Amino acid sequence: MQETASEKIETAPENRQPPEAKKFDFMVVSNRLPVDRCSSDDAENDDDGWRRSPGGLVTALAPLMMKADGAWVGWHGAPDEELEPFSHDGIDIIPVALSTNDVELYYEGFSNATLWPLYHDVVAPPEFHRAWWDSYRRVNRRFADAVIEHAAPDATIWVQDYQLQLVPNMLRQSRPDLRIGFFNHIPFPAPEIFAQLPWRRAIIEGLLGADLIGFQRPSDAANFMRSARRFVGASIKQQQIQVKGPEGEVSHVARAQAFPISIAVDQISELAHRPDIIERARQIRQDLGNPKTILLGVDRLDYTKGIGHRLKAFEELLKEGRLTVEDATLIQVASPSRERVQQYRLLREEIEGTVGHINGSYDTIQNTAVRYLHHNYPIEEMVALYLAADVMLVTALRDGMNLVAKEYVAARTNDTGALVLSEFTGAADQLKQALLINPHDIDGLKGTIMRAVHLPANESRRRMRSMRKEILEHDVDHWSAGFLAALAEGELGDDS
């Protein structure tokens, strides 16, 4: 009897071979590899010059990769450089090379100036260029070919995110023996918005190459199924999509389901209990003059995050005297993002100009209204910020999930604090005891911020306890295990 995907992941061969000579039963495919190059300062700490990336996806899947003796396919981050497969920290790595032209057209162009704004409900206008699309197809083929070369018979392949939506069907056409999963980490738009994409049919057909297509929210899965019905004439019953071959026969059944991603809760909780991080949180408050209330925003510098709306609401509260700079400080962490893309450079100028205006109007010698930090910080510093902040502000205009909201809740181990959360995030489906807001409603946002600032201690404990219970039960391991179990169930269903 054929092994299921989950059984393959439980069994690793005793003897590891060089990656270039191996065939793998389990492979993860993403735009970026799970490793970063070490800088010259810390290279001595890693024999091979690489270190594991800190992202949530890597945290979730690294243990599975090591247990399954699996391989990770992706770009290593340096254009115009080809690398041979290698192993690092128990994971086999298969690099895919990208040229400077690929980065400009496939990544900065089609992925992040066409798909990203389109999939985020056209918060910014998407651009449609045929040269970008041609590059996207070529690069997706390169990723698919890397999998085809290294996948064992009947292997399980898990493709990640919007940069690689054509890969599932490319795999199916060449290797119908593979069990293929795909997970979309960002929203999927309504058909009325998706219709704008000139290559909409090719994208839908690319995704339908997967046996299981995962989304953050049920509404995203529903949007995809509606688009599949509208643009390729797919027959859909419940969450099952009958995919037809070139002769009109049903080639396979794809399923579209929601699998909301989460965080490494244990890691955040452990850091939140560390004495040095607790002391760092106290130092942060002291450095700000020990205000009564610290409000915190943590985002990539992206137009979908609603940073401007947050600053506008905070400025108006200062202007109206409902908050004072002596009593309240906003820390805004805005990590650098896509700085070669014009829209992002303009956004940075706009946000920094707004912060300068607020501070110029309301700062005193002793107090700063907005502490703006345009940096990336290690997780230890982020947890210290979560501990220091009384109110977390998540005002995204559209977000697939927003893991920052979950990290804040995980860090509040004493059940204090308040989370102000946009209803347009995937996290709002799960963190129902957050103070939910429509970020476009500035007056409503201001009122909710004030409610958070003055939230009674017993209500804060009740809300935070409920949210912590939710994420403790549904952490990132629960997410990955749930997706792979569903993928394996489909495999069993095919055999029965």
Side-chain angles (χ1 to χ4, degrees):
M1 186 169 62
Q2 188 180 30
E3 272 188 313
T4 67
S6 58
E7 287 168 338
K8 292 172 189 172
I9 291 169
E10 288 298 319
T11 307
E14 294 181 2
N15 299 315
R16 301 183 69 87
Q17 301 172 345
E20 64 272 14
K22 295 173 66 173
K23 299 292 184 181
F24 298 94
D25 287 324
F26 179 56
M27 300 178 75
V28 171
V29 193
S30 63
N31 178 66
R32 286 298 298 269
L33 286 170
V35 292
D36 297 320
R37 266 210 176 92
C38 300
S39 66
S40 57
D41 294 335
D42 56 14
E44 63 184 6
N45 298 325
D46 222 315
D47 293 338
D48 59 7
W50 298 91
R51 62 183 173 194
R52 187 180 292 182
S53 303
L57 182 65
V58 179
T59 301
L61 298 184
L64 283 173
M65 304 297 289
M66 290 186 288
K67 183 184 292 184
D69 196 22
W72 198 307
V73 177
W75 178 46
H76 61 283
D80 304 312
E81 179 185 37
E82 299 215 14
L83 297 177
E84 292 299 317
F86 63 96
S87 297
H88 174 80
D89 200 15
I91 301 176
D92 286 320
I93 303 293
I94 300 174
V96 174
L98 295 184
S99 67
T100 299
N101 195 55
D102 293 331
V103 174
E104 180 183 346
L105 302 181
Y106 145 80
Y107 181 70
E108 295 173 350
F110 196 80
S111 295
N112 291 319
T114 299
L115 294 176
W116 180 268
L118 185 76
Y119 281 32
H120 286 84
D121 292 352
V122 197
V123 172
E127 299 180 43
F128 305 111
H129 300 294
R130 286 170 289 181
W132 291 1
W133 166 247
D134 291 340
S135 179
Y136 185 83
R137 285 190 303 175
R138 286 194 302 271
V139 172
N140 272 241
R141 169 52 64 186
R142 206 174 303 155
F143 276 81
D145 287 345
V147 175
I148 290 164
E149 179 183 354
H150 292 90
D154 303 314
T156 295
I157 314 297
W158 194 0
V159 185
Q160 307 287 334
D161 224 359
Y162 64 105
Q163 301 97 342
L164 301 175
Q165 294 175 104
L166 303 181
V167 169
N169 195 44
M170 291 175 173
L171 295 178
R172 182 164 294 279
Q173 295 304 313
S174 299
R175 291 284 305 274
D177 61 300
L178 299 176
R179 175 63 41 175
I180 305 165
F182 180 93
F183 188 78
N184 197 60
H185 291 258
I186 68 174
F188 197 90
E192 294 76 19
I193 293 176
F194 188 72
Q196 297 177 40
L197 185 67
W199 308 281
R200 60 200 186 188
R201 183 181 181 92
I203 293 290
I204 294 294
E205 289 175 342
L207 291 170
L208 287 176
D211 298 285
L212 178 64
I213 309 147
F215 298 91
Q216 299 281 23
R217 310 178 81 169
S219 58
D220 295 323
N223 283 343
F224 172 75
M225 287 185 283
R226 289 168 59 205
S227 288
R229 181 183 288 116
R230 176 171 171 180
F231 300 121
V232 302
S235 175
I236 301 172
K237 185 176 182 181
Q238 295 180 327
Q239 295 174 310
Q240 298 190 342
I241 307 165
Q242 292 190 339
V243 183
K244 296 180 179 179
E247 305 300 322
E249 78 286 2
V250 176
S251 62
H252 72 286
V253 175
R255 289 171 294 147
Q257 295 177 223
F259 297 89
I261 198 170
S262 193
I263 60 169
V265 178
D266 289 345
Q267 178 194 23
I268 301 293
S269 296
E270 287 170 10
L271 290 171
H273 283 103
R274 262 177 42 183
D276 60 321
I277 291 178
I278 294 170
E279 172 59 23
R280 174 60 185 147
R282 187 199 65 77
Q283 185 66 47
I284 289 170
R285 294 194 73 97
Q286 182 175 310
D287 291 346
L288 293 171
N290 286 315
K292 290 181 181 177
T293 303
I294 293 178
L295 303 102
L296 175 65
V298 175
D299 311 89
R300 278 191 315 104
L301 190 55
D302 192 285
Y303 49 75
T304 64
K305 301 300 184 181
I307 300 171
H309 297 63
R310 182 182 314 158
L311 292 172
K312 183 176 179 63
F314 184 66
E315 180 181 12
E316 290 189 10
L317 288 171
L318 291 174
K319 183 178 181 180
E320 295 164 6
R322 298 165 71 183
L323 292 177
T324 67
V325 73
E326 290 80 13
D327 289 338
T329 297
L330 170 62
I331 302 174
Q332 176 59 59
V333 178
S335 58
S337 175
R338 300 168 189 163
E339 295 188 300
R340 286 165 41 119
V341 178
Q342 176 70 4
Q343 281 181 319
Y344 288 80
R345 289 198 297 265
L346 294 174
L347 176 66
R348 178 179 177 181
E349 292 175 7
E350 177 188 336
I351 296 301
E352 291 179 353
T354 301
V355 170
H357 168 73
I358 294 172
N359 287 342
S361 300
Y362 297 100
D363 280 6
T364 67
I365 292 176
Q366 293 85 12
N367 304 103
T368 298
V370 181
R371 185 64 60 90
Y372 177 74
L373 307 168
H374 184 59
H375 302 290
N376 289 306
Y377 289 98
I379 187 62
E380 292 82 1
E381 183 73 358
M382 294 311 306
V383 172
L385 284 167
Y386 296 145
L387 293 179
D390 305 288
V391 178
M392 185 81 212
L393 301 178
V394 178
T395 57
L397 308 179
R398 189 77 166 94
D399 213 334
M401 178 52 61
N402 195 284
L403 297 180
V404 164
K406 293 187 175 184
E407 288 179 352
Y408 178 75
V409 170
R412 306 301 295 192
T413 56
N414 59 357
D415 294 329
T416 62
L419 173 62
V420 175
L421 180 62
S422 168
E423 63 190 58
F424 303 122
T425 64
D429 284 359
Q430 298 172 287
L431 304 181
K432 298 182 185 297
Q433 290 300 313
L435 301 175
L436 298 179
I437 51 99
N438 172 1
H440 300 283
D441 176 8
I442 300 300
D443 286 337
L445 175 55
K446 287 158 56 181
T448 304
I449 290 174
M450 293 309 301
R451 181 182 174 194
V453 167
H454 299 296
L455 197 66
N458 60 342
E459 183 179 353
S460 173
R461 282 193 297 272
R462 175 178 60 79
R463 289 177 176 273
M464 196 61 69
R465 192 177 296 123
S466 173
M467 291 189 289
R468 282 183 53 76
K469 182 176 185 293
E470 170 67 26
I471 63 168
L472 284 167
E473 293 174 354
H474 300 91
D475 64 0
V476 71
D477 294 329
H478 179 273
W479 167 76
S480 59
F483 184 95
L484 291 169
L487 188 57
E489 286 170 10
E491 187 171 359
L492 289 169
D494 290 346
D495 292 339
S496 60

